[in-house]
């Protein structure tokens, strides 16, 4: 009888340059019947996604190292190593930025899976320790984001939307 237990080593998983950081898809949804996905996020100073919402996804973040400024419609909070953020179903607008001078590392879980597919579409493959620049927001990039938002039932807002 198979137990289904899988050990995933620290150098395994697809690494993508997303929003100025490296996102390693540790457990993709296709391994969990799309019940959940787990993504490690290594975010350099200045990195982080623009404000966004995804009403049909429950998302959690555990800050493993460093700190990030987490922002919602209710305001801003600095979340340091050991801090946990949960964004329930419903579509709350949120974003985070590494405002410190050191790299931050977060562990993100999304339920159901699917957000990792967004990262695969917007990200670029990178090697461990390589950081791709944040893509310029050209008309072509805006159109791509609008298509992805529609396909995945989410919405991306302009940087500064929550200020």
């Amino acid at each position: 009888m198979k137990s289904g237990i899988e050990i995933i080593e620290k150098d395994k998983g697809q690494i993508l340059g997303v929003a100025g950081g490296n996102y390693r898809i540790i457990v993709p949804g296709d391994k969990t019947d799309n019940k959940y996905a787990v993504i490690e996020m290594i975010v350099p100073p200045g990195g982080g996604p623009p404000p966004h919402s995804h009403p049909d996804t429950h998302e959690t973040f555990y800050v493993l190292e460093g700190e990030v400024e987490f922002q919602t419609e209710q305001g801003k909070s600095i979340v340091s190593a050991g801090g946990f953020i949960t964004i329930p179903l419903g579509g709350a607008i949120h974003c985070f930025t590494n405002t410190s001078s050191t790299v931050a590392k977060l562990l993100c879980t999304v339920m159901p899976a699917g957000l990792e597919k967004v990262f695969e579409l917007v990200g670029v493959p990178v090697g461990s320790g390589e950081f791709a620049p944040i893509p310029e927001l050209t008309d072509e990039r805006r159109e791509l984001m609008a298509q992805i938002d529609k396909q995945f039932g989410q919405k991306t807002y302009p940087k500064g939307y929550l200020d």
Side-chain angles (χ1 to χ4, degrees):
M1 180 163 102
K2 289 179 72 173
S3 69
I5 294 172
E6 183 178 358
I7 296 172
I8 300 152
E9 298 295 334
K10 65 181 180 178
D11 60 345
K12 300 298 181 201
Q14 182 181 25
I15 302 174
L16 300 166
V18 177
N22 283 356
Y23 290 15
R24 178 171 66 108
I25 300 172
I26 299 172
V27 180
D30 61 8
K31 293 206 173 206
T32 67
D33 292 326
N34 289 314
K35 291 181 177 111
Y36 68 93
V38 179
I39 302 107
E40 175 190 67
M41 300 173 166
I42 299 176
V43 186
H52 61 281
S53 64
H54 29 75
D56 299 324
T57 303
H58 182 155
E59 185 173 29
T60 67
F61 297 92
Y62 180 69
V63 181
L64 297 164
E65 297 174 12
E67 66 182 31
V68 293
E69 180 182 81
F70 195 83
Q71 190 172 7
T72 69
E73 292 166 286
Q74 285 73 47
K76 297 177 183 181
S77 296
I78 298 295
V79 184
S80 300
F84 189 82
I85 302 144
T86 184
I87 303 155
L89 296 171
I93 301 169
H94 61 282
C95 65
F96 63 84
T97 304
N98 181 349
T99 56
S100 77
S101 60
T102 61
V103 170
K105 185 187 284 187
L106 298 87
L107 189 64
C108 174
T109 302
V110 294
M111 299 148 288
L115 199 55
E116 79 280 13
K117 297 294 182 195
V118 171
F119 299 150
E120 289 172 357
L121 292 170
V122 301
V124 295
V126 294
S128 182
E130 297 176 353
F131 290 100
I134 295 174
E136 186 180 334
L137 197 53
T138 62
D139 288 342
E140 184 178 287
R141 183 80 177 173
R142 278 190 187 91
E143 178 59 31
L144 171 67
M145 293 308 300
Q147 290 171 1
I148 289 170
D149 281 357
K150 185 176 180 181
Q151 179 180 351
F152 289 92
Q154 64 181 29
K155 183 158 183 173
T156 303
Y157 299 85
K159 207 155 187 72
Y161 178 83
L162 291 170
D163 290 336

